[in-house]
Amino acid sequence: MFQAKDSFAATIGFFDGVHLGHRHLLGQLSAIARERGLKSMAVTFPEHPRQILQSDYRPRLLLEPEAKIAMLEKSGIDLCFPLHFTSELAAMDARTFMRDFLQEKLGVSTLLVGHDHHFGHEPQTTYDNYSRIGSEIGMEVIKADALLFDGTPVSSSRIRRCLSDGNVSDAASMLGYRYSISGQVIHGLQNGRKMGFPTANLGPYCEFMQIPADGVYSVLATVEGETHPAMLNIGYRPTFQGKARTIEAHILDFDRDIYFKELTLEFVDFIRPERRFQSPQELAAQLESDRNSVRASINGLHL
């Protein structure tokens, strides 16, 4: 619980995905706080700042806001402070934000700045600017170290690029967990069932979430508290001249009515791109091969 009399070491960020780079940053924050006898605080934004600045902006999130806050609260820091981004906040310069809000309102005496983080309306502001402002107002400012993956800093935007390329393996390596999406199971066109591959169709998912590239994936499907291996197709079903993008999971060795149940799909591996087949029979033969690939991909995983 926030107490105005407490003194904090803090860091600021959107923290989308609460990935390994974020947790590396939060680990540094906790260590700095302990060394100085302070409490640790992460200041974050429940909504993407660009949604406030651009009404038509549609972010591609790695975590829904509630899940992000929950992960931050379990990260080992003392306090997660959700700060609702406003046009007034966007208009603040870095000095006003650091002095009036962080220092005077939240009691921040030490500020840890992420290696690629920027705040204040001046886009050219750098760590050196923050450090100079800190010296002037009596706030210690420290630059955080970045966590590298394959020689490049881990970042939310890099993870999004991996997902948009279908590279769910590297995305998981940087997230520290498998990427997942959730939604309600709805009725589909039954094309899969007619070929012997009944599917659970995910209903309208959060429009702000990052959806991986079109194609076939091995996934773990969780419904009603049980997790099963599954084959997932994302795309437009070109063999059937589909017009809308769908997310359809064939849950292996499963035959239960789960319409309108919540379904979570956890991405394990990319199997192949989506493509058009000459006939449903040719597609069914490919799906049989895909199903074998899914079994091999998931075999040995702890469900």
Side-chain angles (χ1 to χ4, degrees):
M1 181 180 293
F2 176 68
Q3 297 289 337
K5 66 178 183 296
D6 290 329
S7 293
F8 289 93
T11 193
I12 309 163
F14 187 57
F15 296 109
D16 187 24
V18 194
H19 53 63
L20 290 181
H22 292 142
R23 279 174 269 175
H24 180 68
L25 171 69
L26 296 172
Q28 293 175 69
L29 178 68
S30 295
I32 289 168
R34 285 194 300 271
E35 289 169 1
R36 288 154 178 76
L38 305 171
K39 289 191 174 182
S40 55
M41 175 197 296
V43 179
T44 192
F45 307 102
E47 56 283 302
H48 197 289
R50 280 183 63 185
Q51 288 177 264
I52 305 302
L53 302 174
Q54 301 170 233
S55 60
D56 61 345
Y57 176 67
R58 295 291 180 268
R60 292 293 175 258
L61 301 179
L62 302 174
L63 275 178
E64 293 183 351
E66 297 80 3
K68 177 181 75 173
I69 298 298
M71 284 189 70
L72 285 171
E73 289 176 339
K74 296 176 182 177
S75 67
I77 59 172
D78 294 308
L79 178 68
C80 173
F81 189 92
L83 175 61
H84 290 283
F85 197 80
T86 63
S87 54
E88 291 78 15
L89 192 63
M92 279 189 189
D93 57 38
R95 181 187 182 89
T96 302
F97 180 71
M98 290 172 65
R99 182 193 62 207
D100 295 359
F101 187 79
L102 294 180
Q103 188 178 55
E104 295 184 7
K105 184 173 182 179
L106 297 187
V108 175
S109 59
T110 298
L111 178 64
L112 180 64
V113 179
H115 73 97
D116 61 350
H117 188 65
H118 160 86
F119 58 86
H121 67 73
E122 316 97 320
Q124 72 279 8
T125 308
T126 65
Y127 167 76
D128 289 338
N129 298 123
Y130 300 136
S131 181
R132 175 182 52 77
I133 294 169
S135 296
E136 293 170 357
I137 67 174
M139 177 187 291
E140 181 185 24
V141 179
I142 302 172
K143 188 174 185 177
D145 296 327
L147 179 70
L148 305 183
F149 175 72
D150 284 347
T152 304
V154 173
S155 69
S156 300
S157 58
R158 188 178 173 200
I159 293 168
R160 288 188 205 99
R161 287 194 296 272
C162 282
L163 293 172
S164 65
D165 290 340
N167 188 352
V168 295
S169 178
D170 277 2
S173 294
M174 290 186 282
L175 283 167
Y177 57 88
R178 298 186 192 94
Y179 186 66
S180 66
I181 56 176
S182 300
Q184 192 179 74
V185 178
I186 61 171
H187 288 281
L189 297 177
Q190 306 294 317
N191 289 320
R193 182 172 293 278
K194 294 170 187 174
M195 294 186 296
F197 294 86
T199 59
N201 292 258
L202 209 62
Y205 41 84
C206 176
E207 63 175 323
F208 297 130
M209 296 297 291
Q210 176 71 54
I211 303 302
D214 292 350
V216 177
Y217 296 84
S218 59
V219 301
L220 298 178
T222 299
V223 62
E224 296 185 313
E226 297 179 0
T227 299
H228 308 267
M231 176 170 64
L232 176 69
N233 186 81
I234 300 175
Y236 291 84
R237 298 168 297 164
T239 303
F240 299 100
Q241 292 80 47
K243 303 298 183 185
R245 197 183 196 206
T246 61
I247 300 176
E248 304 176 73
H250 170 64
I251 305 176
L252 276 57
D253 307 316
F254 184 89
D255 186 16
R256 189 188 306 164
D257 183 352
I258 55 172
Y259 286 122
F260 311 115
K261 302 293 185 181
E262 184 78 5
L263 176 66
T264 297
L265 302 171
E266 191 176 327
F267 290 82
V268 176
D269 209 354
F270 181 77
I271 301 299
R272 64 170 175 84
E274 186 182 48
R275 67 182 181 90
R276 183 180 182 276
F277 292 87
Q278 294 302 311
S279 67
Q281 292 76 21
E282 184 181 348
L283 171 58
Q286 179 62 55
L287 290 177
E288 187 63 50
S289 175
D290 294 339
R291 183 160 56 185
N292 291 334
S293 297
V294 167
R295 290 189 191 279
S297 170
I298 294 178
N299 184 39
L301 292 182
H302 178 69
L303 303 186

